[in-house]
C-alpha cells in the first residue's frame, strides 16, 4: 500500500536536513508519496499560527509526519505553541522514542553505546500549567496511571523487540525520583513495576534520575531501555546523545494514537543555518525509525548500513570533524543506496 508522508521542514536547518532525508526516503521506497507543508516560528510570524489548521488536517491524513525543527523563543509569546508540542497533545503521541548509539569511525566519549530512551510525552511537567503570583512561581506536574501504563507498555514492548533483534536478554531501567517526589514519581514507578511483571523475560531495574545521569556518563554500556517521565527523559536523552557523538546523530519518534511524528532531536541551529553544513544524519535516522514503524525493518537497516559506510570514508559534516556539506554527504548516502 502506498504510504504518504507529510514533510514539514520548519525553521533554520530543518529547511536543509528534511529535504535531504526525503531524498533518501524516496530512494529507499520509490512508491512513497511526499506532501510538503510549513509550520514553526516563521509560519507563526507570517500567519499567526505555528501549526495552521490545514497542515494539521494534512498531517492527520498522512501515514507519518517528518518534522525538521522549530526556533521557539525562550520567553512566552501570546498565541504561540511549538508545533511539536501541539502534535504530541492533539495526536496523543505519548511515547517518545530516542535511540542512541555509537558509530564506527565517529569519535564519541564512549564506545559501544546502544540504548533507547522511552520518554513519557504527554504529562509530567509538560502539561505547562504554570502560575506566577508576584515573587512566587509554580508549576503543576500531572502523572496518571493510564499515561504511565501506556508509556511503560511501549518501553517493555521495545525491550522485547530489541531482545529478539539482538538475540540477548533485554533490560528496562525505570527512571524516577520517588524518594523525593513520592506521590507523582511514586505513581510512575508503581505502574512501571506492575507492567514489568507481565514481561518476566525482560530484566527490570530502577534508578534515581540523578544517579542515572552519573551512570550514563561513567558506563553508558550498562543501559538498554530507559523508561522515564517527560522532563527526565528529555534531559537524559540529550546527555546520551552528547556521549555518542552529538545532536547531529540523534533521531526520535513520537508515537501514540494519531499519525506518528518523526524528528531529529536537534533544534533549528541558528548558528549554522543557511550555510549548507548541517548534518542531515539525525533526520535520515528519523526516516529509518519511520520505516521500522511502517514495518520495513530491512529498508531501515539498508539506510543504517549506507550511513555507516559513509561515516567510514570520513566524508562527514563539520560537527563530526569533516568538511563535507549537507549536499555532499547526502550524495554519498544516495550513491551507497
Ligand atoms: P540546537 O539543537 O538547535 O543547536 C545546538 C548546537 O548543536 C548548535 O551549536 C548547533 O549548531 C548544533 N547542531 C544541532 N543540530 C545540528 C546538526 N544537524 N548538524 C550540525 N550541528 C548541529 O539547540 P539550541 O541552540 O539550544 O536551540 C536553537 C533553537 O532551536 C531554539 O529556538 C530552540 O527553541 C529550538 N529547538 C527546537 C527543537 C525542536 O524543534 N524539536 C529542539 C531543540 C531546540
Ligand atoms: Mg530536548
Amino acid at each position: 500500500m502506498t504510504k504518504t508522508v507529510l514533510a514539514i521542514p520548519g525553521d533554520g536547518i530543518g529547511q536543509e536536513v528534511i529535504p535531504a532525508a526525503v531524498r533518501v526516503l524516496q530512494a529507499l521506497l520509490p512508491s512513497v508519496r511526499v506532501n510538503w507543508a510549513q509550520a514553526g516560528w516563521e509560519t507563526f510570524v507570517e500567519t499567526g499560527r505555528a501549526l495552521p489548521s490545514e497542515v494539521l488536517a494534512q498531517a492527520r491524513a498522512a501515514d507519518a509526519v517528518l518534522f525538521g525543527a522549530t526556533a521557539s523563543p525562550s520567553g512566552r509569546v501570546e498565541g504561540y505553541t511549538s508545533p511539536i508540542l501541539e502534535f504530541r497533545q492533539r495526536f496523543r503521541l505519548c511515547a517518545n522514542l530516542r535511540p542512541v548509539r555509537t558509530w564506527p569511525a565517529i569519535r564519541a566519549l564512549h564506545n559501544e553505546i546502544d540504548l533507547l530512551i522511552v520518554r513519557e510525552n504527554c504529562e509530567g511537567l509538560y502539561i505547562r500549567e504554570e502560575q506566577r503570583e508576584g515573587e512566587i512561581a509554580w508549576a503543576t506536574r500531572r502523572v496518571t496511571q493510564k499515561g504511565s501504563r501506556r508509556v511503560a507498555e511501549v518501553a517493555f514492548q521495545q525491550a522485547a523487540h530489541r531482545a529478539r533483534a539482538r538475540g540477548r536478554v533485554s533490560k528496562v531501567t525505570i527512571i524516577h525520583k520517588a524518594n523525593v517526589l513520592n506521590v507523582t514519581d511514586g505513581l510512575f514507578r508503581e505502574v512501571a513495576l506492575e507492567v514489568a511483571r507481565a514481561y518476566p523475560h525482560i530484566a527490570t531495574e530502577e534508578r534515581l534520575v540523578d544517579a542515572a545521569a552519573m551512570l550514563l556518563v561513567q558506563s553508558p554500556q550498562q543501559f538498554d531501555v530507559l523508561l522515564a517521565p517527560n522532563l527526565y527523559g528529555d534531559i537524559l536523552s540529550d546527555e546520551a546523545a552528547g556521549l555518542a557523538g552529538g545532536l547531529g546523530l540523534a533521531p526520535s519518534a513520537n508515537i501514540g494514537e494519531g499519525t506518528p511524528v518523526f524528528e531529529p532531536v536537534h533544534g533549528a541551529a541558528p548558528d549554522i543555518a543557511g550555510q549548507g553544513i548541517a548534518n542531515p544524519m539525525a533526520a535520515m535516522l528519523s526516516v529509518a525509525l519511520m520505516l521500522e514503524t511502517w514495518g520495513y525493518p530491512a529498508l531501515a537497516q539498508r539506510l543504517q548500513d549506507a550511513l555507516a559506510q559513509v561515516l567510514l570514508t570520513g566524508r562527514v559534516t563539520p560537527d563530526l570533524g569533516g568538511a563535507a556539506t549537507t549536499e555532499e554527504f547526502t550524495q554519498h548516502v544516495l550513491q551507497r543506496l
Side-chain angles (χ1 to χ4, degrees), residues 46 55 67 110 118 124 180 225 252 283 316 322:
E46 281 163 25
V55 178
F67 191 89
H110 279 280
V118 179
V180 178
V225 175
S252 78
V316 294

Side-chain angles (χ1 to χ4, degrees), residues 2 17 45 56 76 97 119 128 142 147 186 224 280 335:
T2 306
V17 298
V45 172
L56 200 59
R76 195 181 141 72
L97 309 185
R119 165 191 175 195
R128 294 181 308 151
R142 183 159 59 230
D224 185 0
Q335 276 159 24

Side-chain angles (χ1 to χ4, degrees), residues 13 17 67-74 82 84 88 98 238 246-249 263-273 277-283 317-320:
I13 61 168
V17 298
F67 191 89
T70 45
S72 299
S74 289
S82 149
I84 276 296
R88 286 174 185 162
R98 296 185 164 192
D238 273 31
L247 283 173
L249 303 177
E263 48 151 356
V265 172
H266 63 71
D271 53 337
I272 58 163
I277 56 166
N279 187 353
M281 201 161 138
T317 45
D319 57 306
L320 297 179

Side-chain angles (χ1 to χ4, degrees), residues 12-96:
I13 61 168
Q15 297 283 347
E16 299 161 49
V17 298
I18 294 302
V22 165
R23 281 157 71 197
V24 162
L25 171 64
Q26 287 170 322
L28 282 159
L29 191 67
S31 67
V32 74
R33 182 193 317 221
V34 181
N35 297 327
W36 293 87
Q38 234 353 314
W41 175 250
E42 275 181 35
T43 306
F44 174 76
V45 172
E46 281 163 25
T47 70
R49 281 292 310 271
L51 184 58
S53 45
E54 60 274 19
V55 178
L56 200 59
Q58 275 179 290
R60 202 167 266 130
D63 294 297
V65 170
L66 182 62
F67 191 89
T70 45
S72 299
S74 289
R76 195 181 141 72
V77 175
E78 197 55 43
Y80 177 81
T81 307
S82 149
I84 276 296
L85 292 180
E86 199 167 342
F87 275 134
R88 286 174 185 162
Q89 293 293 343
R90 282 187 186 263
F91 292 174
R92 308 302 300 154
L93 305 175
C94 294
N96 192 198

Side-chain angles (χ1 to χ4, degrees), residues 22-318:
V22 165
R23 281 157 71 197
V24 162
L25 171 64
Q26 287 170 322
L28 282 159
L29 191 67
S31 67
V32 74
R33 182 193 317 221
V34 181
N35 297 327
W36 293 87
Q38 234 353 314
W41 175 250
E42 275 181 35
T43 306
F44 174 76
V45 172
E46 281 163 25
T47 70
R49 281 292 310 271
L51 184 58
S53 45
E54 60 274 19
V55 178
L56 200 59
Q58 275 179 290
R60 202 167 266 130
D63 294 297
V65 170
L66 182 62
F67 191 89
T70 45
S72 299
S74 289
R76 195 181 141 72
V77 175
E78 197 55 43
Y80 177 81
T81 307
S82 149
I84 276 296
L85 292 180
E86 199 167 342
F87 275 134
R88 286 174 185 162
Q89 293 293 343
R90 282 187 186 263
F91 292 174
R92 308 302 300 154
L93 305 175
C94 294
N96 192 198
L97 309 185
R98 296 185 164 192
V100 174
R101 58 161 288 191
T102 41
W103 293 83
I106 296 302
R107 196 152 37 85
L109 294 167
H110 279 280
N111 294 318
E112 287 164 32
I113 302 176
D114 179 16
L115 57 84
L116 171 69
I117 294 179
V118 179
R119 165 191 175 195
E120 200 292 315
N121 221 15
C122 291
E123 312 186 328
L125 278 168
Y126 279 64
I127 58 169
R128 294 181 308 151
E129 285 177 15
E130 294 188 289
Q131 293 170 62
R132 177 163 172 184
E133 270 175 31
E135 293 178 356
I136 303 175
W138 68 95
T140 303
R141 182 171 198 251
R142 183 159 59 230
V143 176
T144 67
Q145 218 166 35
K146 189 175 165 210
S148 304
R149 180 165 298 120
R150 188 170 49 201
V151 71
E153 289 285 357
V154 171
F156 280 91
Q157 283 159 12
Q158 288 288 326
H161 176 74
R162 287 165 70 88
R164 279 193 300 275
R166 290 164 175 74
R168 58 164 163 73
V169 176
S170 232
K171 178 174 77 173
V172 173
T173 306
I174 304 164
I175 308 289
H176 60 77
K177 188 78 186 177
N179 56 332
V180 178
L181 299 166
N182 314 134
V183 178
T184 46
D185 270 346
L187 177 59
F188 186 85
R189 168 181 182 270
E190 178 188 306
V191 173
L193 288 171
E194 200 181 294
V195 170
R197 283 199 283 279
Y199 294 84
H201 53 295
I202 291 168
T204 305
E205 64 177 12
E206 44 182 314
R207 293 276 182 213
L208 298 176
V209 61
D210 45 352
M214 183 205 63
L215 292 171
L216 260 178
V217 171
Q218 275 186 341
S219 53
Q221 299 85 356
Q222 68 179 270
F223 292 106
D224 185 0
V225 175
L226 294 91
L227 165 62
N230 208 329
L231 183 60
Y232 305 156
D234 190 25
I235 297 169
L236 292 181
S237 57
D238 273 31
E239 182 191 352
L243 291 170
L247 283 173
L249 303 177
S252 78
N254 300 275
I255 60 170
E257 291 171 21
T259 309
V261 176
F262 300 86
E263 48 151 356
V265 172
H266 63 71
D271 53 337
I272 58 163
Q275 297 177 32
I277 56 166
N279 187 353
M281 201 161 138
M284 291 176 184
L285 288 169
S286 301
V287 163
L289 286 175
M290 182 190 294
L291 291 167
E292 267 170 38
T293 306
W294 280 349
Y296 302 127
L299 293 182
Q301 190 58 48
R302 249 179 79 199
L303 175 50
Q304 303 223 26
D305 292 346
L307 288 167
Q309 285 171 21
V310 176
L311 295 183
L312 283 170
T313 67
R315 288 137 98 186
V316 294
T317 45

